[in-house]
Amino acid sequence: MKVYLDNAATTKVDARVLKSMLPYFSTDYGNASSIHTMGQENFNILTQSRAKIAKILGANERGIVFTSSATEANNYLIKGIARANQKKGDHIIVSAIEHPCVRESARQLEKEGFRVSIIPANRDGLIEAQELEKLIDQKTILVSVMMVNNEIGTIQNIAELAKVAKKHGAFFHTDAVQAVPYLKIDIKELGVDALSLSAHKFGGPKGMGLAYLNPAVYAEPLIIGGGQEDGKRAGTYNLPGIVGMTTALELAYKERSEYLKRVKKLRDRLWDGLKKKLPDIQINGSIKERVPANLNVMFGYVEGEAILIDLSYKGVFVSTGSACSATNLKASSVLAAIGLSKHFLNSNIRFSLGKETTEKEIDYTIKMVTETVGRLREFSPVSHL
Ligand SMILES: Cc1ncc(COP(=O)(O)O)c(C=O)c1O
């Protein structure tokens, strides 16, 4: 049996998404910037896609910039807003549990002379508004806090945090990559100035992201060239990707309520099953303020990597932290930030369920994890501590 429980790393492209993309590779391949009919017809498709996405996100369509990934969107928004608004100040704030592309963008700005502050997370993996209040000052240009954490699935109160930033005259960015379709995203209601998404996390193609930036705010472009996206991001429009992301986003929200109910039931079945079979395990991060597809578990006395590899042999595909750290066996900075003891920092597995997950797969996973952890504990030097 093959069980894919790594949907926070990437998802399968939905067949309907793929179908919607195909004409723009084959028959309707005109460059959306070309003046002839083939180009202009595709420019209309581009405009319609932008409008559809803007409607779902409660956004001004002039603020939507298509990018190659959320990594690019986060780099553009964080570095671009900071660099373009230096008259406003020299300070930016990011949370302690951000994705590396946000953390590294902030680190780059620090090298350029900006002050960077980190908002700590509490034990539940949540970022508290009062902690932001302590750090923000008159010179803060930008605050960036992710909507849903990629490792532990915790949900932040973005509207409350954005209100604090606004009160102090700072712009607010949220990395919403892991929020679709779990949370409703209404940019106006949230009160954010900037937001990032990635299509491959919700049934869309890889290599397709989105940066939203309030049209009243300027960010220095990261990629310059032919002036596409109103000069905000140069490069020939990736129309198949844009159409695919639009279809995926529409489907994700259309089919959301049914999916949320189903996935929560499966996630709870997984946790209940593991708890019943294995002692010395715990959930990392709040169970309440968490997306229903995520289960991040600490298995005491065994190495997460050893569990992952053994499960992989058994056909169960999971992750120890974010996919981006698969080649980097350093302990998770997210788990360290929520205060996990150093003895347990390398004993964690992230199970991320998705649209395709079935009850049978969950039951198989419980059986395999129980076998694997039980066997590894038998020869763990610390299992009887
Ligand atoms: C929270 C978060 N932000 C950003 C990214 C980067 O997205 P992309 O793969 O589109 O570069 C990821 C991907 O793992 C993520 O989980």
Side-chain angles (χ1 to χ4, degrees), residues 138-342:
Q138 292 308 310
K139 296 270 189 186
T140 306
I141 304 171
L142 175 71
V143 177
S144 178
V145 179
M146 71 202 320
M147 195 175 262
V148 172
N149 182 264
N150 45 305
E151 292 187 38
I152 54 177
T154 49
I155 300 170
Q156 307 304 335
N157 189 337
I158 294 300
E160 190 186 17
L161 293 162
K163 212 178 272 173
V164 175
K166 201 99 310 158
K167 192 173 78 183
H168 293 270
F171 298 125
F172 192 93
H173 164 254
T174 188
D175 171 346
V177 165
Q178 298 284 347
V180 181
Y182 306 102
L183 305 178
K184 182 179 160 218
I185 301 179
D186 186 311
I187 285 172
K188 260 189 244 91
E189 266 177 31
L190 289 170
V192 302
D193 302 288
L195 178 143
S196 324
L197 289 183
S198 177
H200 74 98
K201 306 289 184 176
F202 50 86
K206 292 169 185 63
M208 191 62 229
L210 177 154
Y212 173 80
L213 179 60
N214 177 347
V217 181
Y218 181 65
E220 192 179 277
L222 202 61
I223 301 175
I224 52 175
Q228 290 89 348
E229 299 284 3
D230 266 341
K232 294 173 196 160
R233 197 269 184 192
T236 298
Y237 291 109
N238 172 6
L239 201 60
I242 292 166
V243 168
M245 179 158 73
T246 308
T247 313
L249 196 64
E250 285 182 323
L251 288 171
Y253 280 100
K254 203 168 126 214
E255 296 169 356
R256 173 176 183 250
S257 55
E258 199 46 46
Y259 167 62
L260 293 191
K261 268 187 255 157
R262 203 162 50 77
V263 79
K264 182 175 184 308
K265 235 168 146 183
L266 292 171
R267 195 267 318 265
D268 292 347
R269 185 180 181 95
L270 176 58
W271 178 230
D272 291 343
L274 293 175
K275 254 188 327 192
K276 251 185 235 144
K277 302 265 179 176
L278 289 165
D280 299 320
I281 65 172
Q282 75 180 37
I283 290 192
N284 296 312
S286 165
I287 183 69
K288 203 165 137 258
E289 300 299 326
R290 169 191 214 101
V291 292
N294 174 292
L295 188 67
N296 189 308
V297 183
M298 192 283 295
F299 294 91
Y301 319 119
V302 275
E303 273 263 309
E305 253 79 36
I307 302 174
L308 183 151
I309 290 162
D310 201 53
L311 286 179
S312 178
Y313 285 131
K314 292 172 168 147
V316 179
F317 306 119
V318 295
S319 161
T320 47
S322 64
C324 317
S325 57
T327 50
N328 174 357
L329 295 187
K330 270 200 315 213
S332 153
S333 59
V334 171
L335 297 177
I338 69 167
L340 215 68
S341 141
K342 73 176 194 310

Side-chain angles (χ1 to χ4, degrees), residues 9-230:
T10 197
T11 58
K12 179 174 171 179
V13 174
D14 187 293
R16 295 164 292 178
V17 169
L18 183 60
K19 189 165 176 236
S20 73
M21 294 170 69
L22 288 177
Y24 302 99
F25 287 112
S26 51
T27 47
D28 306 333
Y29 53 84
N31 186 324
S33 301
S34 293
I35 294 166
H36 52 67
T37 309
M38 268 178 84
Q40 288 309 293
E41 279 173 1
N42 277 356
F43 187 75
N44 285 340
I45 299 293
L46 172 71
T47 309
Q48 284 164 25
S49 299
R50 207 184 290 281
K52 285 177 187 168
I53 291 181
K55 192 163 172 233
I56 294 172
L57 301 180
N60 182 333
E61 59 190 87
R62 285 191 303 123
I64 289 174
V65 178
F66 293 114
T67 64
S68 68
S69 61
T71 296
E72 184 196 324
N74 284 337
N75 270 266
Y76 160 58
L77 292 168
I78 292 167
K79 293 187 211 164
I81 292 173
R83 289 172 182 161
N85 290 280
Q86 295 184 58
K87 277 210 190 101
K88 222 170 134 68
D90 65 346
H91 185 218
I92 73 158
I93 303 176
V94 301
S95 93
I97 57 170
E98 294 302 310
H99 187 272
C101 61
V102 170
R103 285 203 316 265
E104 291 303 316
S105 295
R107 200 166 295 168
Q108 173 64 33
L109 289 171
E110 203 166 30
K111 286 188 199 148
E112 294 172 18
F114 289 88
R115 287 181 297 131
V116 174
S117 301
I118 310 288
I119 324 175
N122 68 17
R123 193 72 180 81
D124 282 331
L126 302 173
I127 305 296
E128 294 167 10
Q130 73 214 39
E131 296 297 328
L132 173 58
E133 281 279 9
K134 284 185 204 162
L135 296 171
I136 200 161
D137 63 37
Q138 292 308 310
K139 296 270 189 186
T140 306
I141 304 171
L142 175 71
V143 177
S144 178
V145 179
M146 71 202 320
M147 195 175 262
V148 172
N149 182 264
N150 45 305
E151 292 187 38
I152 54 177
T154 49
I155 300 170
Q156 307 304 335
N157 189 337
I158 294 300
E160 190 186 17
L161 293 162
K163 212 178 272 173
V164 175
K166 201 99 310 158
K167 192 173 78 183
H168 293 270
F171 298 125
F172 192 93
H173 164 254
T174 188
D175 171 346
V177 165
Q178 298 284 347
V180 181
Y182 306 102
L183 305 178
K184 182 179 160 218
I185 301 179
D186 186 311
I187 285 172
K188 260 189 244 91
E189 266 177 31
L190 289 170
V192 302
D193 302 288
L195 178 143
S196 324
L197 289 183
S198 177
H200 74 98
K201 306 289 184 176
F202 50 86
K206 292 169 185 63
M208 191 62 229
L210 177 154
Y212 173 80
L213 179 60
N214 177 347
V217 181
Y218 181 65
E220 192 179 277
L222 202 61
I223 301 175
I224 52 175
Q228 290 89 348
E229 299 284 3
D230 266 341

